Amino acid sequence: MIRIAVCDDERPVRESIVKALGKYKTETGTDIEVLEFSDAETLLTSYPSGLDLILLDIYMPGMDGMEAAKAIREFDTEVCIIFITTMYQRAIEGYKVRAFGFIRKPVSYEEFSHELGDAIKNIERSREKDHYLNIRSSGKSFRIPVSRISYC
């Protein structure tokens, strides 16, 4: 399961992102859990455990998305962050918080699904990276992903 937080102060934008996530889930069969937040402060104070991806607006009243991403990186270095914004001029700052990518508003499903697919592949790769079984046989070493083992 992929746990995704959607954080945007505009309700119609959040709803369109959640709808796009539902469409992606249906098209790909990916198991997705979606959590919605209307502001960065709430996201930070009730930060969900086991979060895989944050779809984060940059421009919001109060704490903006870039400030939130900086705060998140202080305690969660692994979560994937994709900014959904009209503010591409702040993209360079995204490197400081190791943003995975940027999606332009208004959100087009094609751009969204492509970026989301890449992020999910990255998340799944990082999950598998730490789960290998190293086997030595006949002087050769084999590294087998645990997810590929069906019987021992």
Side-chain angles (χ1 to χ4, degrees):
M1 172 177 301
I2 304 292
R3 296 190 78 209
I4 301 174
V6 177
C7 184
D8 196 301
D9 62 309
E10 298 176 64
R11 182 184 205 106
V13 174
R14 272 196 327 272
E15 289 172 351
S16 72
I17 293 169
V18 170
K19 185 177 177 182
L21 286 167
K23 182 176 180 180
Y24 183 87
K25 179 179 180 175
T26 301
E27 287 180 356
T28 65
T30 305
D31 190 11
I32 296 174
E33 178 185 0
V34 180
L35 307 158
E36 293 182 56
F37 298 90
S38 59
D39 61 81
E41 290 90 352
T42 305
L43 172 63
L44 287 170
T45 57
S46 59
Y47 193 81
S49 64
L51 200 56
D52 296 301
L53 172 63
I54 302 173
L55 299 171
L56 184 60
D57 185 20
I58 291 180
Y59 184 71
M60 292 185 281
M63 177 184 283
D64 73 14
M66 197 61 72
E67 292 174 56
K70 289 175 186 173
I72 289 166
R73 284 297 181 228
E74 291 179 16
F75 62 86
D76 189 344
T77 58
E78 297 302 315
V79 70
C80 185
I81 299 173
I82 296 176
F83 288 109
I84 298 183
T85 188
T86 57
M87 301 184 69
Y88 266 156
Q89 62 271 27
R90 295 190 67 189
I92 299 286
E93 284 181 74
Y95 288 107
K96 292 179 183 176
V97 294
R98 293 185 9 255
F100 185 82
F102 289 81
I103 298 173
R104 290 182 311 236
K105 284 183 181 180
V107 176
S108 83
Y109 181 73
E110 291 74 27
E111 181 183 3
F112 179 82
S113 64
H114 176 76
E115 194 73 23
L116 180 63
D118 286 350
I120 289 173
K121 285 177 194 167
N122 189 56
I123 290 163
E124 290 172 343
R125 254 193 314 267
S126 69
R127 284 180 180 172
E128 287 180 2
K129 181 172 45 177
D130 297 329
H131 298 94
Y132 282 90
L133 181 62
N134 293 314
I135 298 175
R136 189 167 195 91
S137 176
S138 303
K140 295 181 182 178
S141 293
F142 301 92
R143 189 169 180 216
I144 303 168
V146 171
S147 62
R148 306 254 348 237
I149 297 173
S150 57
Y151 180 79
C152 267

